[in-house]
Every structure is written in structure tokens, then in C-alpha cells.
Amino acid sequence: MKIIGRNPVYECLVAKSKIKKIYINQEIKLDGKVQSILDLANAQGVPVVYKSKRFINKISDNALHQGVVADKEDVVAPSLELALRGLETEGKEPFILYIRDAYNEFNVGAIIRSAEAVGVNIVIIPPKMDITPNMVRSAMGATEHLSIIKESIYQAIKIVKPLGIKVVGIELTGEDYYYNADLTGPIMLIIGGEDHSLSDELEKKADFFVKIPMKGKVNSLNMSVAASVVLFDKIRQETV
């Protein structure tokens, strides 16, 4: 996988991900972030190759690369059970986010960025969804600091519920506003897709659904915004 942009590449190095090679525009201006990338790459034995801007444009599909692209080894995601056992071993409370039916890869990246910021340790995506370079770019490297797992929604619920992990959907049809619901403790939040609501069947299997109050004429929110609103309120509830 190609990692595109200075901050995503830097975060890969900080996380000691398996980077095979880093490509840098031979005309790049050496600033603090580029120097940090070079220092970390040198410390970890990662080859750095200087190439023309045309070459960097080509390998990044003309994305906003800022003169830095890394070639990272594809890593097989752990199973949900294995990731949960790892959290138990580390004494960490499960904070899980399930991203359901998202088709905009930049939205997914933005959600992952917010999730990492609030301490989510597992992000689950549907089996048919792939983590793309654009997702990693929009997540600004947050993909390197949490587990991203592919699992069907119903199988994920089947795994987490016996462990005492609350399953909470974020939906317009929620029973109560998110700030009135108890979001503390081990939890799996489910954010609905861009074009489809969470199903009635899913509502029956979840512990409850929550909603976000809105007063405008457009009765919907971008899914990355909706996810962030509820994610940050869990932190608020646990710190007041």
C-alpha cells in the first residue's frame, strides 16, 4: 500500500509499521517534518529514494502527496477476538467503532482520525470494504495507532455482547439524544452509512440507538461529523 503525505508517513514511522521504502521529491524543501521523517527512517533502516516530482505524482496517482510517499507492506488485520484478547492482556477497556456502509473513502478516513483522537482502540469495517491510500491520507496517520478489523456487523455483535460490551447505534430514529444515554464503559458504537439507515433488525440486536438533535431544514449530518459528535460525548461523560 502507498502511504501518501508527510504526516501519514511520519505516523507510520512513529508506529514502526513495516515500510519498505520512502520516496521523496528531490526538490523538496527540508522542514521539520521532513527532517523527522528522514531521522526516523535512518534509525529504522528504511531506504529513502529521491525522485522527480513527476515520478512522485505518478506513484501517488496525483494525490496531495506533499513530496513524500512511502511503500508499506500490507498487514493482515487481526481477528476481532484476537484484538479483544490483546486489550484484555493490556488492561484496556474496549472502545469500538463500527463503520457501516460507507462509500466515501475520505469520510472513512475522517472518522478514523476522530476515533483515534478520542481513544477508540478498534475500528471495524464491513468485509467488502478496503482501507485505501486516500483513507489513510485523510486519517492523517491515525490508521497506524488502532486496530482496523474486517467483520460483519452481526458477527461483531455476537462476539462483543457476551463480553458485556454495550452495542449502541447512531441513527435518526434513536430512542434518546446521545447526551442523555449512558455511553460510559466498554462500548461498540455503530455509525450508519451515507445512503442507508441502520436496519430495524439491527436495532433489535443493539442495546439501544441514540440520535443527534437537529434544528435545520436538512435533516442529516455527514457521517464523519455524526460519529465525532457522539464519540467525543463519551469522553465528556467519563471525565465530568
Side-chain angles (χ1 to χ4, degrees):
M1 174 186 285
K2 291 291 187 296
I3 307 299
I4 301 167
R6 297 181 187 187
N7 205 62
V9 171
Y10 172 78
E11 293 298 339
C12 280
L13 289 165
V14 169
K16 297 185 178 179
S17 301
K18 295 182 178 180
I19 296 179
K20 294 185 284 187
K21 189 177 292 186
I22 296 174
Y23 300 93
I24 293 183
N25 182 355
Q26 60 196 18
E27 299 175 0
I28 200 168
K29 292 183 179 179
L30 194 65
D31 62 9
K33 183 55 64 75
V34 174
Q35 187 61 59
S36 295
I37 288 170
L38 294 173
D39 291 343
L40 286 170
N42 180 62
Q44 295 176 27
V46 178
V48 175
V49 180
Y50 291 89
K51 293 287 186 177
S52 67
K53 183 178 180 180
R54 182 178 179 182
F55 179 88
I56 302 295
N57 287 343
K58 182 178 180 180
I59 65 172
S60 66
D61 292 327
N62 292 304
L64 184 61
H65 52 69
Q66 300 173 300
V68 181
V69 177
D71 191 6
K72 176 189 169 187
E73 289 185 20
D74 291 331
V75 178
V76 178
S79 67
L80 179 55
E81 293 97 329
L82 185 60
L84 288 168
R85 284 201 294 270
L87 292 179
E88 183 180 12
T89 300
E90 296 171 10
K92 295 181 179 178
E93 188 173 83
F95 187 1
I96 306 169
L97 178 65
Y98 196 108
I99 303 174
R100 175 110 164 131
D101 296 330
Y103 302 105
N104 185 311
E105 54 190 344
F106 294 100
N107 267 349
V108 175
I111 293 169
I112 293 172
R113 184 177 180 181
S114 293
E116 196 279 331
V118 300
V120 167
N121 37 47
I122 298 174
V123 168
I124 308 176
I125 58 177
K128 293 183 179 180
M129 185 188 296
D130 290 319
I131 294 297
T132 67
N134 281 333
M135 287 181 190
V136 175
R137 176 74 179 86
S138 58
M140 295 300 287
T143 50
E144 303 305 311
H145 300 293
L146 42 70
S147 295
I148 301 178
I149 294 165
K150 292 186 176 185
E151 188 62 84
S152 71
I153 183 64
Y154 294 109
Q155 182 62 21
I157 292 173
K158 184 178 179 181
I159 292 169
V160 304
K161 270 209 159 184
L163 301 177
I165 300 171
K166 283 183 291 195
V167 177
V168 179
I170 304 169
E171 185 55 79
L172 287 172
T173 58
E175 301 165 17
D176 203 350
Y177 294 125
Y178 67 91
Y179 47 77
N180 290 330
D182 182 8
L183 303 178
T184 62
I187 195 170
M188 182 172 81
L189 289 168
I190 305 170
I191 180 67
E194 294 143 350
D195 300 319
H196 299 91
S197 299
L198 298 178
S199 67
D200 293 339
E201 182 181 359
L202 185 57
E203 187 170 8
K204 293 175 184 176
K205 293 184 179 296
D207 288 285
F208 53 88
F209 276 15
V210 295
K211 58 186 176 182
I212 299 170
M214 289 182 285
K215 295 183 178 181
K217 292 182 174 63
V218 179
N219 197 27
S220 67
L221 283 176
N222 176 283
M223 65 183 298
S224 67
V225 175
S228 296
V229 167
V230 181
L231 285 168
F232 277 92
D233 199 64
K234 172 176 167 61
I235 302 302
R236 180 194 65 81
Q237 291 186 19
E238 293 180 334
T239 54
V240 294

